[in-house]
Amino acid sequence: MTAQAIGKYEHGESMPSTGVLTAIADALGVSTTYLTGSRDMTLEAVEFRRKTLAGKREEDQIKARVLRLLERYLAVEELLGLTSTSWDKPRGSPWPVLHDLSEVEHAARGLRAHWGLGLDPIPNLGEFLEERGIKVLAMDLTVIDGLTVWVRREDASTTPVIVVNQGHWGERQRFTLAHELGHIVLDVAPRIDSENAAHRFAAALLMPAEPLRAEVGRRRKSIGWGELLEIKRIFGISVQALTLRCEELGIFSPALSRRLFDEFIRRGWRRPPYQEPCAIVGEKPKRFERLVCRALSEGAVSADEAAELLGIPVRDLNLLMEEPGPKRMDTEAGTQPLQGPFRMP
């Protein structure tokens, strides 16, 4: 296919044959129904967190999958007569970052104040963001951690969407969510690296300085594994992100931070799958799943349609819809157990 032919398909000037349509669907990793269906929204300002994609084809595949998931999400909301929660844009955002990364701390405090978060750890960041009007999607991503997109609908309204890698552990997903939120609420000057700014924002949002100092102290030259892992549990972050944050705030000495990272590398925690002790189960966004189950219960969709919306077999849907009973048990654990002896290097 030539670029000219694809351009005509995109602008509705001609229709591809069945064979060509199938080839395009296979290339983008979507169904032919998706390509021929009507759409009333477009993706804008797509920001990939890590520029390590194979090329434009891989970017297009991800964009197509994101758009398909969003279409399903919005379709279920419409079936239930729900309107999408409006984006609760924090007062003062986008916060300017003009001189250095210390300005990011002000942005994180401002967002917490506007959303009434106080200084407490955020238990389920994905669910909380959805309550604030940000759509959160979990997808199988290969070489990227996450991305941010803005969706413009037919009525000209825009909605921010954050996509996270559903194969990552919970602490890494939480940091990705906070990082992508940073891209949404920060206005970073060209002279400052926007990725570093988003990283600093994520750390400041998930680990505010005051409660972190209250837990760890103001100056530390050493720390034990048990204490480190307990603080990881409290804030729901990786020990690597915790170590970097403590060094940023001057809590950990540079020497302690280096010793810790040498040990993280030795234990393989800096490489995929990035699993640390006491790893947190992934924060899979649940709102869409709840809406589909509600639509099925109210007869707005059939079992086959509900399974197709969720992308799961009907038998798994039946388990999901099973009513609570004495034999039913929740098998998901909140954390992975600590394994093996751990000593401070």
Side-chain angles (χ1 to χ4, degrees):
M1 286 175 283
T2 64
Q4 271 186 325
I6 292 175
K8 288 182 179 180
Y9 301 152
E10 290 176 334
H11 291 93
E13 296 172 4
S14 66
M15 281 293 292
S17 65
T18 302
V20 170
L21 187 66
T22 302
I24 294 174
D26 289 343
L28 293 175
V30 298
S31 67
T32 54
T33 304
Y34 163 78
L35 292 175
T36 55
S38 61
R39 291 205 300 259
D40 62 350
M41 58 182 160
T42 56
L43 300 186
E44 298 180 349
V46 182
E47 294 287 344
F48 289 96
R49 180 174 169 188
R50 283 167 49 189
K51 303 295 183 180
T52 53
L53 295 177
K56 189 174 184 304
R57 174 178 172 176
E58 190 167 5
E59 286 190 7
D60 289 342
Q61 288 176 334
I62 293 173
K63 290 176 186 176
R65 288 163 59 202
V66 169
L67 200 52
R68 177 58 177 152
L69 284 175
L70 282 170
E71 283 185 328
R72 294 178 178 187
Y73 200 137
L74 298 176
V76 173
E77 285 185 332
E78 290 172 5
L79 281 171
L80 294 172
L82 303 174
T83 56
S84 291
T85 305
S86 299
W87 154 230
D88 182 10
K89 182 180 178 181
R91 289 184 303 273
S93 67
W95 284 281
V97 183
L98 303 176
H99 302 101
D100 57 62
L101 294 181
S102 64
E103 295 169 300
V104 174
E105 300 282 338
H106 168 73
R109 287 194 297 270
L111 184 140
R112 275 183 166 266
H114 177 81
W115 284 349
L117 285 168
L119 294 175
D120 295 331
I122 307 171
N124 192 317
L125 184 57
E127 288 280 326
F128 182 78
L129 292 179
E130 293 229 289
E131 291 172 5
R132 298 297 169 174
I134 299 175
K135 291 287 189 285
V136 178
L137 304 176
M139 290 172 41
D140 287 320
L141 303 172
T142 52
V143 294
I144 62 172
D145 298 331
L147 66 147
T148 300
V149 302
W150 286 85
V151 179
R152 183 173 295 277
R153 303 185 68 181
E154 198 171 50
D155 61 3
S157 63
T158 56
T159 301
V161 180
I162 297 176
V163 183
V164 294
N165 193 325
Q166 69 179 9
H168 283 171
W169 294 98
E171 57 266 42
R172 193 171 180 88
Q173 289 180 340
R174 284 168 56 82
F175 198 88
T176 295
L177 286 167
H179 175 106
E180 298 301 334
L181 180 60
H183 282 304
I184 293 172
V185 301
L186 297 178
D187 182 12
V188 183
R191 59 182 293 271
I192 297 176
D193 187 290
S194 62
E195 289 297 299
N196 288 339
H199 264 64
R200 182 68 173 264
F201 176 85
L205 179 68
L206 295 173
M207 297 169 279
E210 296 89 338
L212 187 60
R213 287 192 176 104
E215 290 291 341
V216 186
R218 303 193 71 84
R219 294 287 187 273
R220 298 291 297 269
K221 293 182 180 179
S222 65
I223 190 169
W225 283 115
E227 184 182 359
L228 199 64
L229 293 171
E230 177 59 19
I231 297 167
K232 165 196 170 103
R233 184 194 64 78
I234 291 171
F235 290 97
I237 41 77
S238 68
V239 293
Q240 299 171 64
L242 171 62
T243 300
L244 288 173
R245 178 64 171 160
C246 286
E247 186 177 8
E248 283 174 355
L249 296 175
I251 297 172
F252 285 0
S253 66
L256 173 58
S257 184
R258 283 195 300 272
R259 294 205 311 272
L260 285 170
F261 267 91
D262 286 345
E263 188 65 12
F264 300 156
I265 292 169
R266 189 181 75 80
R267 295 182 181 275
W269 302 346
R270 300 282 288 165
R271 301 188 303 271
Y274 307 105
Q275 184 180 0
E276 299 176 351
C278 305
I280 301 170
V281 172
E283 283 197 7
K284 183 180 179 182
K286 293 290 187 180
R287 183 172 182 267
F288 175 64
E289 182 180 284
R290 290 197 301 272
L291 292 180
V292 173
C293 291
R294 175 179 164 186
L296 178 58
S297 297
E298 294 181 5
V301 296
S302 67
D304 287 340
E305 289 169 332
E308 197 275 331
L309 285 167
L310 293 173
I312 60 175
V314 173
R315 64 177 180 276
D316 291 347
L317 176 68
N318 291 335
L319 290 174
L320 191 64
M321 296 296 294
E322 182 181 301
E323 293 186 6
K327 295 182 179 180
R328 177 129 187 214
M329 296 178 64
D330 183 7
T331 57
E332 287 190 359
T335 59
Q336 297 293 322
L338 177 64
Q339 296 177 355
F342 286 85
R343 294 180 181 176
M344 183 60 207

